[in-house]
Amino acid sequence: MSTEVYWFSGTGNSLHAARRIAEGLGDSELVPIAGSVGGVEALPERLGLVFPVYAWGPPSIVADFIEEMPAGSPEYVFAVATCGASAGSAMSITRRLLKKRGISLDAELTVKMVGNYPPMGGAPGPEKAGKRLEEAEKDLDAVVGRLKDGFRGRQGGTNPFFRVLGRVVYPLFRKHVSDSAGRFAADDRCTSCGICVRLCPVSNIELGEDGRPVWGDRCQQCYACFHWCPEEAVQYGRKTADQNRYHHPGVSQDDMLEQGGGA
Ligand SMILES: Cc1cc2nc3c(=O)[nH]c(=O)nc-3n(C[C@H](O)[C@H](O)[C@H](O)COP(=O)(O)O)c2cc1C
Ligand code: SF4
Ligand code: SF4
């Protein structure tokens, strides 16, 4: 069965999950969602979507991707969401978006990995993150096993409170996802290395005349720029200087560049 696993990721959790799934299923192509919006011509027999949970829903770019997908009827469609705490309504929103394209979502799975959202405290320290990732590997084993067996249904129940919150907050998140340019800044530790420019999956960053990054109006709030800066120079608002920076230890900068990104 031809399989394509479409993925989006800011700090590597979802890329790691997508790779584990593609390896487990075998004969699967990994395709970055960034750069593929509106560009898919035909759907495979088995279609997978792997993405982080943002504001208890799918990232805006993932929703855009689904809305631009061609018509088709894959034999098996699965979605796997990685999250820091609760997936909320990520799966029900994804299911509804797919349904509007005439595609039914067969398997809905979520994996708790490591949170990375700076406005809500950011990522935990390395020890706590490491412990969580050990647990997440076991959860990923189970996810891969289920997908290999052609599981149909929903795995990983979510708290009803967060599902309701998602329904209210997510539309606002999506509407304002790109309004954050003014909140990003690079501090004096910036060496003008350009890594943030290259890693932004939507080419939203340029280096200005002073060599410091300038953020544009296409942000998807993935926080790759924040977490991957080798100097920890990228700040979001005024309270992030002391926050932990995080990326999945099994994912490198080069791996993230597969997502397209800046020049
Ligand atoms: C903008 C944003 C919003 C987030 N919202 C949620 C959320 O609603 N629930 C949750 O459990 N985690 C949330 N997170 C955490 C991510 O879902 C989690 O860290 C995910 O595994 C990151 O995947 P990645 O490494 O592939 O980017 C959020 C992260 C970001 C950047
Ligand atoms: S990654 Fe960090 S150090 Fe490099 S240009 Fe961006 S902000 Fe500056
Ligand atoms: S500007 Fe930063 S947070 Fe926004 S999409 Fe690019 S890398 Fe992600």
Side-chain angles (χ1 to χ4, degrees), residues 6 33 36-37 40 49 60-69:
Y6 286 88
I33 285 174
S36 299
V37 179
V40 178
L49 299 167
S60 191
I61 193 170
V62 174
D64 294 344
F65 174 75
I66 295 172
E67 285 170 350
E68 299 279 328
M69 258 163 53

Side-chain angles (χ1 to χ4, degrees), residues 184 200-202 204-205 215 219-225:
F184 281 106
C200 174
V202 291
N204 188 47
I205 307 174
W215 281 263
C219 183
Q220 291 295 316
Q221 301 245 357
C222 75
Y223 291 92
C225 52

